[in-house]
Amino acid sequence: MSTTSIQYSVERYLEERRRLGFELRIAGAQLMNFARYADANDHRGPLTIDLQLAWARERGTKPITWARRLEVVRPFAKYYCQFEPDTAVPDAKTFGPGHRRLAPHIYTHQEILDLLQEAGRLRPLGGLRPATYRTLFGLIATAGLRLSEALYLRVADVDLLRGLLTVRETKFRKSRLLPLHASTLAALRIYRDMRDQTVRSEADMPFFASSSGAELPSRTVHEVFVGLRRRLGWVARGDHPNPRIHDLRHTFAVRRIQLWHQSGVPLDQGTFWLSTYLGHAKISDTYWYLTGTPELLSIVAARFECFVRGAEEVNDA
């Protein structure tokens, strides 16, 4: 029987995976939790089904939570088989599906305007802080960025002359170059001028900066957003308890598909453009962002009706 601790084996596994380009921030932390659990129970040798299922059930009371935890430990169990061939790999369906799509809150145009207006009223009035949050939320809404992508932008990444945004090595370590709308560029120029008058503006400095010039912590941004949301009195229209910052990205995807429907752009081609713009590794990731809003469905229904009438006319002829 092996005397190597599970924690040591998990550390070695994570090191190998990260060398291949996988960040595994959340999954890595969960695996280390599993390793500490196994070592605390003096487990040595092959991983057993009972050990893995007991750890999965340790947190939460819902099978979907257990299923997600099992998804984390299964790849490690497969890896561990090369050292302990008798290691058991649990069935992925043991606790049922580990994921279900919760409908996002798709913002109306007025809600986004209200958010930006309320952000502009933050204290101190006329200072860098309200301008930062107004521009940050506006850019996420108009470019469909992840919050982490927007916060990581450097001054050199925002090319106001060419109207391009460089999003560097984010999810899946992909970088992409995004063209921006003229109205977005105008807002970014205004913010950049104010920013440069307040804090240092070197190429590698954060574009969205605090009053000290430091990068904004995501936790702080979420706290500010929650305060704005409460003041606006929004009621969630999706399956989440409240509207989220990430729902701005969902809204961007839905509105873009809606505009393409209205202008007659082929959706097969447009969806691939959208997938590239959003930085998705697979087209199925983009489908995850699409929600059937009443506005979108009415356009689709009208186009389908025209298609059916055209087919009927051909058949009658």
Side-chain angles (χ1 to χ4, degrees):
M1 180 180 290
S2 172
T3 58
T4 303
S5 72
I6 303 300
Q7 187 167 338
Y8 172 80
S9 298
V10 166
E11 288 172 347
R12 186 167 58 178
Y13 166 76
L14 292 175
E15 183 180 348
E16 290 186 15
R17 296 293 287 170
R18 285 166 177 157
R19 278 203 303 265
L20 294 174
F22 296 91
E23 293 187 12
L24 299 175
R25 284 177 294 181
I26 297 175
Q30 290 178 319
L31 265 181
M32 289 304 298
N33 179 277
F34 168 74
R36 289 189 289 270
Y37 175 87
D39 289 341
N41 284 277
D42 297 321
H43 184 86
R44 292 294 183 272
L47 300 181
T48 65
I49 289 289
D50 288 344
L51 174 73
Q52 296 173 71
L53 298 191
W55 174 77
R57 291 193 187 99
E58 189 189 29
R59 295 285 176 85
T61 58
K62 297 181 179 180
I64 190 171
T65 302
W66 304 339
R68 287 181 180 177
R69 286 167 68 83
L70 207 59
E71 285 180 353
V72 169
V73 78
R74 287 183 74 253
F76 171 69
K78 293 177 182 178
Y79 161 87
Y80 198 62
C81 283
Q82 64 185 306
F83 309 108
E84 295 288 351
D86 292 333
T87 287
V89 179
D91 191 304
K93 299 179 180 178
T94 300
F95 296 123
H99 298 273
R100 63 187 179 95
R101 186 183 186 278
L102 298 177
H105 177 97
I106 302 301
Y107 291 95
T108 65
H109 182 65
Q110 188 60 50
E111 283 175 332
I112 294 176
L113 291 178
D114 291 344
L115 172 64
L116 302 189
Q117 185 176 46
E118 200 65 35
R121 293 172 178 161
L122 290 168
R123 301 288 179 179
L125 286 175
L128 181 63
R129 182 171 178 262
T132 295
Y133 283 103
R134 176 184 172 88
T135 312
L136 171 64
F137 294 141
L139 181 61
I140 292 173
T142 57
L145 298 182
R146 302 175 179 95
L147 174 61
S148 59
E149 294 173 340
L151 295 182
Y152 189 70
L153 287 173
R154 308 291 106 174
V155 169
D157 295 333
V158 185
D159 189 337
L160 298 175
L161 292 177
R162 295 192 298 161
L164 296 173
L165 198 69
T166 301
V167 183
R168 302 183 185 278
E169 294 192 15
T170 57
K171 199 171 183 181
F172 309 113
R173 300 205 171 184
K174 295 173 64 178
S175 297
R176 62 193 194 276
L177 201 63
L178 306 182
L180 298 174
H181 191 271
S183 61
T184 304
L185 282 172
L188 291 175
R189 286 193 186 97
I190 294 171
Y191 173 71
R192 173 69 188 271
D193 289 343
M194 177 178 240
R195 183 204 176 285
D196 291 353
Q197 294 171 16
T198 309
V199 297
R200 290 169 54 204
S201 186
E202 298 176 6
D204 61 346
M205 296 284 288
F207 183 76
F208 291 109
S210 67
S211 57
S212 65
E215 184 175 318
L216 298 173
S218 60
R219 181 175 179 178
T220 301
V221 176
H222 280 291
E223 289 173 352
V224 169
F225 179 82
V226 168
L228 296 173
R229 184 181 67 202
R230 286 172 179 164
R231 283 155 62 176
L232 290 166
W234 285 337
V235 176
R237 288 188 295 275
D239 293 330
H240 295 275
N242 294 291
R244 308 166 300 158
I245 296 175
H246 197 63
D247 291 333
L248 292 170
R249 181 169 160 90
H250 281 271
T251 302
F252 170 84
V254 170
R255 298 302 181 211
R256 176 44 52 192
I257 292 294
Q258 182 178 328
L259 288 171
W260 280 333
H261 263 302
Q262 291 172 329
S263 58
V265 173
L267 265 295
D268 289 345
Q269 185 177 2
T271 306
F272 277 107
W273 294 340
L274 181 61
S275 184
T276 302
Y277 198 91
L278 291 173
H280 288 153
K282 300 177 293 184
I283 193 71
S284 58
D285 294 337
T286 306
Y287 296 151
W288 186 266
Y289 276 81
L290 303 182
T291 300
T293 62
E295 298 87 351
L296 180 58
L297 291 178
S298 65
I299 295 170
V300 173
R303 294 191 66 183
F304 182 71
E305 184 179 357
C306 290
F307 169 77
V308 171
R309 286 181 177 176
E312 289 175 346
E313 290 174 2
V314 171
N315 291 332
D316 291 341

